[in-house]
Amino acid sequence: MPDPVFPHRHLLGIEGLSPAEINHLLDRSDHYVALNRAAEKTTDSLRGRTIVNLFFENSTRTRTSFELAAKRHGAHVINMQVESSSVAKGETLIDTAVTLNAMHPDVLVVRHPDSGAVKLLADKVNCGVVNGGDGSHEHPTQALLDALTIRRRKGKLNGLLVAICGDVLHSRVARSNFLLLLTMGARVRIIAPRTLIPSQVDRMGVEVFTDMAAGLKDVDIVMMLRVQNERMRGSYIPSVREYFHFFGLDRAKLAQAKPDALIMHPGPMNRGTEIDSDVADDVERSVIREQVELGVAVRMAILEILALNNVAAPARKAAL
Ligand code: NCD
């Protein structure tokens, strides 16, 4: 039986998910937070299943988090780190998908530097696919773990005022977060230098600020983004020093937010570029480590649901 609330075979993005589906994924994830804090952390719900982590981009925390999630369910995990050659990316991707598909994995977790590449791959395989981040498009499990962190701390998402600050232009984390937060009834502000604001911003339903003090005023959540130097062709910021001065989160800028505002960052952090260590490590306000912790629970929920949905899929595609 597919999951009655989330009957999908893949999780490719937050786009198109309903509030009921998002709540369901968060509720299932909540269930695994307690298990992860217990001494005995395993279930056997994916025993005998194979999860493949297929990463065309470097990753430490996301890959480890998926690996741990799969292992805690008793699944076999294979990690494949593929260097993507800029010349024959499309071809490499499809070839790899076909090869892996022949080995009958149950779920593929895929990260790729190109937006849309994970969807392309999902169309070629007959197992479940989770988008572990595609270019600057989506990173759905990050948005879900961010939402879980907020919901557990604030008791809700609806009505909260969330500021997403920094390199919005290159950030799949920001995009998946806008989609999720707006779907769940939160208000979203983006705060960034003009050069790092996406051109389609007017159609996103977010408020835009280019000044940290104004944008952070009275927010409940301050979500910082990494400056993604590897995605910048050309110069988007004048210098690290100047960026930190205007857009880096420090104690003085944080003072504009609500006194109980939470500080978040998807990691890895560039300390001294987008965030000061003083606030990043503030145990009262920063939930950055909790985000990492809850990421495992979110991935346990997703892998379990997709593995079960794919067994139930009536018409599995013929082998490629
Ligand atoms: C994010 C990513 O890769 O998109 N990190 C992550 O998943 N832990 C954010 C980033 O790289 O800045």
Side-chain angles (χ1 to χ4, degrees), residues 6 8-15 17 108 110 117-123 128-134 137-140 176 306:
F6 195 89
H8 312 290
R9 297 186 54 210
H10 309 305
L11 177 67
L12 300 178
I14 298 296
E15 191 165 15
L17 298 189
L108 282 176
V110 187
V118 180
K119 162 89 175 69
L120 195 71
L121 187 143
D123 291 342
V129 174
V130 183
N131 183 358
D134 63 327
H137 178 229
E138 281 232 42
H139 190 353
S176 290
L306 293 188

Side-chain angles (χ1 to χ4, degrees), residues 163-170 174 178 189-198 201 207-213 215-216 223-225 236-237 243 246-248:
I164 302 182
C165 318
D167 188 358
V168 179
L169 180 67
H170 300 102
F178 301 153
R189 291 179 175 174
I190 66 172
I191 315 176
R194 277 184 209 293
T195 48
L196 295 177
I197 296 175
V201 78
E207 293 171 73
V208 182
F209 292 80
T210 51
D211 177 70
M212 282 286 268
L216 288 178
M223 195 181 283
M224 301 307 298
L225 299 172
Y236 288 82
I237 61 172
Y243 185 86
F246 288 108
F247 294 96

Side-chain angles (χ1 to χ4, degrees), residues 29-99:
S29 307
D30 241 336
H31 171 79
Y32 288 120
V33 177
L35 181 79
N36 285 331
R37 288 178 182 173
E40 170 61 57
K41 300 177 177 57
T42 50
T43 79
D44 60 1
S45 64
L46 296 185
R47 198 177 48 195
R49 304 298 169 84
T50 306
I51 312 293
V52 177
N53 281 325
L54 176 58
F55 278 61
F56 293 87
E57 224 182 54
N58 287 335
S59 163
T60 316
R61 77 187 64 208
T62 303
R63 197 205 27 79
T64 313
S65 184
F66 272 108
E67 182 174 353
L68 207 50
K71 286 183 169 161
R72 287 193 178 161
H73 274 318
H76 295 289
V77 186
I78 308 293
N79 292 312
M80 284 188 64
Q81 180 82 41
V82 190
E83 294 310 320
S84 58
S85 95
S86 51
V87 193
K89 249 181 221 163
E91 196 180 55
T92 307
L93 181 69
I94 304 302
D95 281 350
T96 314
V98 172
T99 306

Side-chain angles (χ1 to χ4, degrees), residues 61-62 111 139 142 172-173 226 228 266-268:
R61 77 187 64 208
T62 303
R111 171 170 283 196
H139 190 353
Q142 179 70 43
R172 53 197 175 207
V173 173
R226 184 173 65 86
Q228 307 210 356

